[in-house]
Amino acid sequence: MRRRARISFAALIPALAFAQNATITGAITDPDGGIVKDTVIEATNSTTGAVIRAHGSDKGEFALSLPAGTYDVAVVMPCCQYGSSTQRRVVLRAGESRRLNVRLPWGSNLGTLGDDPILLLNDFRERAAVPSGPTPRTPEGKPDLSGIWINVYNPDTPPPPLQPWAAGVLRERTENGSKDYPGGYCLPANASSITRAFPYKFVQTPKLIVVIHESDTPGLRQIFLDGRGHPADWNPTWQGHSIGHWEGDTLVVDTIGFNDKAWLSLSGIPHTDKLHVLEHIRRLDYGHLEVEITMEDSGAFTAPWTRTFTATLAPPEEEILEFICNENNSDPKHYRGK
């Protein structure tokens, strides 16, 4: 006699819940219909604020599995060849399958080939191996951070937990195409240049580290290692005042004294003059650097914002290029908003 199989209803619940998810698939292309690969697609639930991400394939295709609900579906491009795209209030029913193709606009450089740092750096890594070997040290025995470093782009970095007014500013800047982006007007592009995609160079001495940033104004940053504290009467600046010390093999950099004019991202994350930045910088081996950066701002954030960036060492023949922004600057006319 054939025995009847027993199936636990509790065991079916996860499968049933998954089966009721909606599915969004699509292709991501540029304004000319060309494939845009290696993107990140974010679906934000309009009610809960939950964010679900997926990575686009080498063929520009993506797929998202989402519970029923209303979502803002965005492809966020950090810079510069392509602009970001958001489709708001996409309503999904349980079990629904939908095709949602995304055609990205040209970015701030109007699609100029070879003028997007992330695309260039990805191409560079495909052509050149990262140098290997143990961490070099200075005559004083400290890790030697010297060299030109190239950040590995991390598309999964979440935005900071913003206060309502700051979230409103970010939303407005995102929706108007970042038309007031300081970097487009030859002003400092970011309050923390080490987080940007462009190469940077450490010049290290026992009492001072100078960081040279490509494609930024002023392009120089000083980190004082001589035991001084922050000035009591510091005049707030775009990049603040940085002091550092060594904790074992980790360089700890403390920065305060910012004005409130810079952004913290190309999309327009704001901050106030209460911004406090703490960096832990480690040279993991000869070819790899790690930067853990924590930002606190009681005027704009609801909690600290911590991110970790990794960087790879450029070959010896590479150098930081001269950047003269206000010579024939044509960016402002491209940041027209929407």
Side-chain angles (χ1 to χ4, degrees):
M1 183 170 104
R2 180 176 295 177
R3 300 177 64 182
R4 182 173 299 172
R6 284 185 161 182
I7 301 176
S8 168
F9 180 75
L12 285 175
I13 292 177
L16 289 172
F18 182 81
Q20 292 176 356
N21 273 6
T23 302
I24 298 179
T25 60
I28 301 173
T29 59
D30 65 27
D32 294 334
I35 291 173
V36 180
K37 62 181 182 178
D38 298 328
T39 54
V40 174
I41 301 90
E42 298 182 344
T44 303
N45 189 290
S46 301
T47 302
T48 67
V51 179
I52 297 176
R53 295 182 177 88
H55 290 260
S57 71
D58 288 342
K59 297 182 179 180
E61 295 284 334
F62 72 91
L64 281 164
S65 178
L66 304 167
T70 302
Y71 294 86
D72 292 341
V73 181
V75 180
V76 181
M77 304 300 291
C79 185
C80 296
Q81 187 165 347
Y82 307 114
S84 300
S85 175
T86 301
Q87 298 192 39
R88 301 198 178 278
R89 302 199 64 78
V90 177
V91 179
L92 299 173
R93 298 184 299 274
E96 179 182 5
S97 295
R98 180 180 297 192
R99 183 77 176 175
L100 190 67
N101 294 326
V102 178
R103 178 158 290 193
L104 297 176
W106 294 125
S108 58
N109 67 5
L110 299 184
T112 304
L113 294 175
D115 194 23
D116 187 311
I118 294 172
L119 298 180
L120 288 174
L121 298 181
N122 287 341
D123 179 66
F124 167 79
R125 289 193 179 91
E126 291 176 358
R127 294 184 287 106
V130 176
S132 61
T135 300
R137 294 187 176 271
T138 68
E140 298 76 30
K142 302 299 183 183
D144 190 349
L145 305 180
S146 301
I148 296 176
W149 298 96
I150 304 170
N151 279 346
V152 178
Y153 173 53
N154 178 12
D156 290 328
T157 299
L162 295 173
Q163 296 182 19
W165 77 264
V169 169
L170 173 59
R171 183 169 54 252
E172 179 183 355
R173 289 172 174 174
T174 302
E175 292 176 350
N176 69 21
S178 299
K179 68 181 182 64
D180 298 317
Y181 174 53
Y185 298 85
C186 298
L187 295 170
N190 193 300
S192 185
S193 296
I194 201 170
T195 64
R196 301 185 71 223
F198 291 94
Y200 52 92
K201 181 177 184 177
F202 280 104
V203 181
Q204 183 172 343
T205 73
K207 294 187 177 182
L208 176 70
I209 290 179
V210 176
V211 191
I212 306 173
H213 294 272
E214 186 171 302
S215 190
D216 200 9
T217 303
L220 291 173
R221 178 190 178 199
Q222 298 183 89
I223 302 172
F224 298 101
L225 304 177
D226 55 4
R228 72 179 70 185
H230 294 299
D233 58 349
W234 178 255
N235 184 33
T237 60
W238 289 81
Q239 294 191 322
H241 182 269
S242 297
I243 56 176
H245 66 276
W246 291 95
E247 293 183 359
D249 287 346
T250 299
L251 176 65
V252 181
V253 183
D254 186 280
T255 307
I256 63 171
F258 294 94
N259 61 33
D260 61 357
K261 299 177 182 179
W263 293 9
L264 297 179
S265 69
L266 182 63
S267 59
I269 295 173
H271 69 87
T272 72
D273 58 8
K274 296 181 176 66
L275 180 65
H276 176 204
V277 179
L278 193 66
E279 298 159 276
H280 289 78
I281 303 174
R282 310 172 185 89
R283 188 163 185 173
L284 304 177
D285 53 34
Y286 191 87
H288 295 88
L289 193 76
E290 179 184 84
V291 180
E292 181 187 276
I293 181 167
T294 298
M295 295 183 172
E296 297 180 278
D297 187 341
S298 61
F301 300 173
T302 60
W305 184 28
T306 299
R307 294 166 289 167
T308 299
F309 294 84
T310 56
T312 55
L313 185 67
E317 65 271 15
E318 294 294 320
E319 193 45 88
I320 298 295
L321 298 178
E322 180 181 74
F323 179 71
I324 309 298
C325 173
N326 56 3
E327 180 181 28
N328 192 33
N329 179 31
S330 57
D331 270 359
K333 64 183 179 183
H334 299 159
Y335 286 99
R336 296 175 180 170
K338 296 180 180 179

